[in-house]
Amino acid sequence: MTHPHLTVVDHPLIQHKLTLMRDKGTSTASFRQLLREISLLLAYEVTRDLPVTMKTIETPLQEMESPVLRGKKLALISILRAGNGLLDGVLELIPAARVGFVGLYRDEATLEPVQYYFKAPKDLGDRAVIAVDPMLATGNSSAAAVDLLKGAGATDIRFLCLLAAPEGVARMKEAHPDVRIVTAALDDRLNEKGYILPGLGDAGDRMFGTK
Ligand code: URA
């Protein structure tokens, strides 16, 4: 599948850690730790094209013009609840970012998203926005989350996930072709319950130990 805005980060460190996360024998504590580590590496990639501006500073030796990020602080939007696992790592790399939350649950019968919470930083339209959710599966909740962000004024949105299914990428491409997706892997397909295959199971359950 071609998607000009899909970046699969195939760095060996990420792939190694992802293999450990996929393994069903990996403990909750290790899963969380690995997710935090991978999210740092993915954050590096998803912020690669952020604009910079030059600032005059003085080193101990002389004055120089040096690059700093341009514009307002970024906004990170966690798509609850699994998004929080990615959020922690990204925040470590970008500690000044503003943070918002979108609460959507998936109706298991229809696989359609149902909203229960939305809180985002002000001035979303002036910020680069990174929405985070480990699993881009059907794409329904991701597309709905991006709808909400656009409704709140966001215009520059990136979507950061750990695993993507082709179905989810296609759905996002159809609904939001302007949103760049960064993922650690593009898996094979969804099963009849909307889980990614081969996947890693339910990301929320695995990171919070709820199953
Ligand atoms: N959400 C998950 O946590 N896992 C999947 O495989 C699909 C959606």
Side-chain angles (χ1 to χ4, degrees):
M1 182 193 342
T2 58
H3 186 315
H5 301 297
L6 175 70
T7 305
V8 179
V9 190
D10 58 356
H11 190 288
L13 271 179
I14 294 183
Q15 296 308 315
H16 177 85
K17 290 176 193 296
L18 181 56
T19 298
L20 296 174
M21 292 184 75
R22 289 183 189 272
D23 191 327
K24 68 178 184 184
T26 295
S27 71
T28 300
S30 300
F31 188 92
R32 251 199 313 257
Q33 173 66 19
L34 288 160
L35 182 57
R36 200 189 62 79
E37 292 166 5
I38 289 190
S39 52
L40 286 170
L41 300 164
L42 289 173
Y44 178 80
E45 184 59 40
V46 78
T47 52
R48 175 180 290 281
D49 61 346
L50 287 180
V52 292
T53 187
M54 301 309 274
K55 179 182 175 185
T56 309
I57 58 162
E58 278 183 43
T59 77
L61 300 177
Q62 68 171 69
E63 197 176 277
M64 73 174 288
E65 294 287 300
S66 198
V68 289
L69 291 176
R70 194 173 73 206
K72 288 200 174 174
K73 307 285 184 229
L74 266 84
L76 305 177
I77 307 293
S78 170
I79 302 174
L80 298 172
R81 69 181 163 149
N84 284 7
L86 271 181
L87 175 70
D88 290 347
V90 180
L91 258 182
E92 235 169 89
L93 200 68
I94 317 168
R98 306 302 190 242
V99 179
F101 296 92
V102 177
L104 294 167
Y105 69 86
R106 187 164 65 158
D107 184 309
E108 292 303 333
T110 62
L111 304 185
E112 290 298 323
V114 183
Q115 182 195 333
Y116 64 89
Y117 189 73
F118 182 80
K119 185 87 179 172
K122 288 202 196 86
D123 312 328
L124 273 192
D126 299 333
R127 304 177 189 276
V129 174
I130 304 176
V132 298
D133 185 353
M135 311 299 270
L136 177 55
T138 62
N140 289 337
S141 43
S142 310
V146 172
D147 281 339
L148 289 169
L149 294 173
K150 287 186 175 174
T155 53
D156 175 6
I157 306 175
R158 296 133 219 252
F159 189 88
L160 180 62
C161 58
L162 185 63
L163 291 188
E167 294 89 335
V169 174
R171 173 84 180 91
M172 281 289 276
K173 181 182 178 184
E174 167 198 88
H176 299 292
D178 54 308
V179 172
R180 183 171 155 236
I181 301 166
V182 173
T183 185
L186 181 62
D187 272 13
D188 296 344
R189 64 185 175 87
L190 297 179
N191 72 8
E192 66 289 348
K193 290 188 170 160
Y195 279 89
I196 298 177
L197 294 176
L200 49 73
D202 188 295
D205 282 342
R206 293 205 60 195
M207 79 180 68
F208 298 120
T210 40
K211 209 173 221 172

